[in-house]
Amino acid sequence: GAVVSQHPSRVICKSGTSVKIECRSLDFQATTMFWYRQFPKQSLMLMATSNEGSKATYEQGVEKDKFLINHASLTLSTLTVTSAHPEDSSFYICSAADTADNEQFFGPGTRLTVL
Amino acid sequence: GQSLEQPSEVTAVEGAIVQINCTYQTSGFYGLSWYQQHDGGAPTFLSYNGLDGLEETGRFSSFLSRSDSYGYLLLQELQMKDSASYFCAYNQGGKLIFGQGTELSVKP
């Protein structure tokens, strides 16, 4: 089956620093990748959709200057949380699909804690 | 508006059958999916209904009625490892919109 990895799995950082999270599709080419955020006991909230080689499309209420998304290749997308604050502490999950309408395969998630 | 509603929590015993309902409201609908998520883990795809009716995959079945904007996930022969959160989600032009999730607790 399709495998998606995320790195790091867990990160703790100080307030004001930036954190980069990588999402890789290991055995297929992902033209579309999605980034979700999940607070404890809550649902997955879509943050943005990224297509390889083009700018990400952000959902309403998500600051594009704070959550920088790059999808430079068909197997890698990165999410950078800039100037992180404690309220950004959350579980960040990516998913990947070989086309926009196909099944999404989820990564294992990254637990971000901002002190 | 666009939304999905499902019960926040359900409790059942090992070996039993449990049904998790999901009602949705959306302007565009391309099918209903179900995902399982264990604490701290990634969502795992369980089932998908693009058309009305029942889809069966082992112990899990999912049903959809588009006229009623309603679906459910049926889990049979419950096992302790089925304790997890279950999310219904609809596909909206490639984007997955998730419900709030149902936390299933399976007791011995």
Side-chain angles (χ1 to χ4, degrees):
Chain A
V3 179
V4 176
S5 70
Q6 274 184 249
H7 178 79
S9 58
R10 190 178 293 267
V11 57
I12 301 172
C13 69
K14 293 182 179 179
S15 188
T17 60
S18 294
V19 174
K20 180 185 283 189
I21 302 170
E22 294 185 348
C23 177
R24 293 181 185 274
S25 57
L26 300 184
D27 51 3
F28 68 101
Q29 294 188 326
T31 57
T32 306
M33 287 185 169
F34 304 86
W35 287 96
Y36 297 84
R37 179 169 53 182
Q38 185 178 35
F39 292 107
K41 300 295 185 183
Q42 294 190 24
S43 185
L44 286 82
M45 298 300 295
L46 180 65
M47 299 174 68
T49 303
S50 75
N51 292 294
E52 185 266 336
S54 60
K55 289 184 179 180
T57 303
Y58 290 81
E59 295 299 303
Q60 194 171 11
V62 178
E63 301 174 58
K64 61 180 182 182
D65 294 330
K66 181 170 180 62
F67 299 99
L68 302 179
I69 292 172
N70 183 283
H71 192 164
S73 78
L74 286 171
T75 58
L76 174 64
S77 176
T78 60
L79 166 68
T80 301
V81 183
T82 62
S83 187
H85 288 98
E87 57 266 30
D88 298 322
S89 298
S90 189
F91 193 47
Y92 291 85
I93 308 172
C94 73
S95 70
D98 58 3
T99 67
D101 295 332
N102 276 1
E103 179 181 352
Q104 295 181 28
F105 299 95
F106 286 84
T110 296
R111 176 79 57 193
L112 170 63
T113 303
V114 184
L115 302 175
Chain B
Q2 299 169 53
S3 66
L4 299 101
E5 289 192 17
Q6 49 182 129
S8 59
E9 52 186 36
V10 172
T11 302
V13 296
E14 258 188 309
I17 299 172
V18 72
Q19 178 173 312
I20 299 173
N21 299 321
C22 174
T23 57
Y24 60 87
Q25 184 177 13
T26 177
S27 55
F29 181 76
Y30 299 91
L32 194 70
S33 299
W34 289 91
Y35 288 83
Q36 177 192 62
Q37 185 183 32
H38 285 97
D39 212 23
T44 304
F45 172 79
L46 292 178
S47 188
Y48 170 76
N49 295 78
L51 300 173
D52 289 355
L54 190 68
E55 291 287 336
E56 297 178 85
T57 309
R59 294 188 297 117
F60 298 166
S61 304
S62 59
F63 172 83
L64 177 66
S65 169
R66 288 175 296 171
S67 60
D68 296 322
S69 297
Y70 163 76
Y72 66 72
L73 178 70
L74 192 73
L75 298 87
Q76 303 182 72
E77 300 172 23
L78 281 175
Q79 302 175 10
M80 297 296 290
K81 67 177 182 180
D82 297 329
S83 292
S85 292
Y86 293 84
F87 295 89
C88 58
Y90 62 69
N91 186 308
Q92 189 179 59
K95 299 192 299 186
L96 278 176
I97 308 300
F98 285 84
Q100 288 300 306
T102 298
E103 188 169 350
L104 171 64
S105 297
V106 181
K107 306 294 186 186

